[in-house]
Amino acid sequence: MTAIILTFNEEINIVRCLNCLDWADDVVIVDSGSADRTLELAAQARPDIRVFTHPFKDFGDQRNWALDNVQPKHEWVLFVDADEFCVPELAREIGEYIRSPGDTVGAFIAGKNHFMGKWLRHSGLYPSYQLRLLKMGAVRYRKEGHGQREVTDGKAAFLKEGWIHEGFSKGLTNWLDKHNRYSTEEVDLMVRLRSEPPGLRQLFSKNPLRRRECMKRMGAKLLPLMPLLRFGYRYGLRGGFLDGKPGFLFSLLYASVSIQVVAKVYEAERNRTPMGDDRARRPSNRI
């Protein structure tokens, strides 16, 4: 199997990530221009690694570029981020799946979010799936908010095991900076979702992706309440309080990201309003 790792300044994560992929005989790095020791450490840890560089535009574009250019040695490709660590149980399940995929062309994998040394079983919204294991030629990606959405006409499976996701491995400041950028990239998506019907029937779908899409549309419709609703959902309904202090802080951090999204959406909508329709923008002669 071919594993493709997307990297950018991942010297703190890359060796552990590679060690967790020692069962994959073809490992590829697609780097976005790291200025640290990412590639040096990768070559030391895995001498047979293949390295490509490509400027990062968005996750969908980067994954599509990898599929088109790295020439995977195998039919099945696993996309991994450098802060995601494949546990042995997941490796075994991946092996079992690709030996007998049935009529499916890929598989969704969930990340187990870790914070302050703890797996956030509840506030981390596990399982939150992404299609990361795929058959060559059967799946493409497109940009969706700050992330990506899979594009395929085939069926996909859901793996039971998940990998460890250390999203805070580079420190809280880095996480905040990253999610400030992510919140900006969510603006166009939120503006679009505000104009779409909520599709409430999807709340009762057996497919967790459809339920998540519906909740995102509902959040866009109830935009001013979105930070409070998301905090209540993570910390209350999903049992984040059972994760202790890490769960409380994690839920607050994501509520703060929602506040950024709300403010940026209103700013974008105001800036798109024609000048003649916005009295507040008209210059005033009053002193």
Side-chain angles (χ1 to χ4, degrees), residues 97 103-106 108 131 137-140 150-157:
Y97 168 76
D103 62 349
T104 62
V105 298
F108 287 91
L131 198 156
V139 178
R140 301 292 287 180
E150 67 282 349
V151 180
T152 179
D153 293 327
K155 297 179 182 179

Side-chain angles (χ1 to χ4, degrees), residues 58-236:
D58 58 68
F59 284 104
D61 175 80
Q62 199 76 342
R63 300 195 198 283
N64 288 336
W65 187 92
L67 292 172
D68 293 338
N69 291 276
V70 307
Q71 297 182 339
K73 296 180 180 179
H74 300 286
E75 181 181 33
W76 288 94
V77 172
L78 175 69
F79 274 110
V80 186
D81 291 343
D83 60 358
E84 295 169 338
F85 309 113
C86 191
V87 298
E89 295 82 3
L90 175 59
R92 285 194 292 270
E93 187 177 8
I94 289 173
E96 293 170 358
Y97 168 76
I98 63 178
R99 284 192 293 270
S100 182
D103 62 349
T104 62
V105 298
F108 287 91
I109 300 174
K112 297 180 178 180
N113 289 303
H114 281 62
F115 178 52
M116 297 176 64
K118 181 182 180 66
W119 172 29
L120 303 178
R121 182 188 297 268
H122 307 283
S123 54
L125 304 186
Y126 182 82
S128 182
Y129 291 100
Q130 292 188 33
L131 198 156
R132 296 291 198 82
L133 178 60
L134 58 94
K135 187 176 183 179
M136 282 293 295
V139 178
R140 301 292 287 180
Y141 293 93
R142 63 175 170 81
K143 179 178 172 59
E144 178 91 347
H146 76 270
Q148 76 280 311
R149 177 80 174 272
E150 67 282 349
V151 180
T152 179
D153 293 327
K155 297 179 182 179
F158 291 83
L159 300 190
K160 294 179 180 179
E161 297 292 338
W163 48 37
I164 294 171
H165 179 217
E166 294 281 5
F168 293 84
S169 58
K170 298 180 185 178
L172 182 56
T173 297
N174 176 274
W175 189 93
L176 291 169
D177 289 343
K178 179 173 64 178
H179 280 78
N180 181 38
R181 297 193 304 272
Y182 286 175
S183 65
T184 299
E185 295 179 16
E186 287 287 308
V187 170
D188 288 340
L189 175 62
M190 286 293 107
V191 171
R192 174 171 63 81
L193 293 179
R194 280 164 64 77
S195 65
E196 294 181 358
L200 295 178
R201 288 184 179 180
Q202 291 188 344
L203 274 180
F204 308 100
S205 171
K206 294 181 180 180
N207 188 321
L209 300 177
R210 303 290 85 80
R211 295 197 301 269
R212 188 170 68 188
E213 290 170 3
C214 181
M215 291 180 65
K216 200 154 193 175
R217 284 195 298 270
M218 291 175 62
K221 295 288 186 183
L222 302 171
L223 192 66
L225 298 176
M226 188 169 67
L228 180 61
L229 291 174
R230 286 189 173 177
F231 176 81
Y233 179 71
R234 282 182 184 271
Y235 194 68

Side-chain angles (χ1 to χ4, degrees), residues 45-59:
R46 183 87 186 226
D48 64 337
I49 200 166
R50 297 190 290 134
V51 178
F52 296 79
T53 58
H54 183 253
F56 187 88
K57 180 181 177 182
D58 58 68
F59 284 104

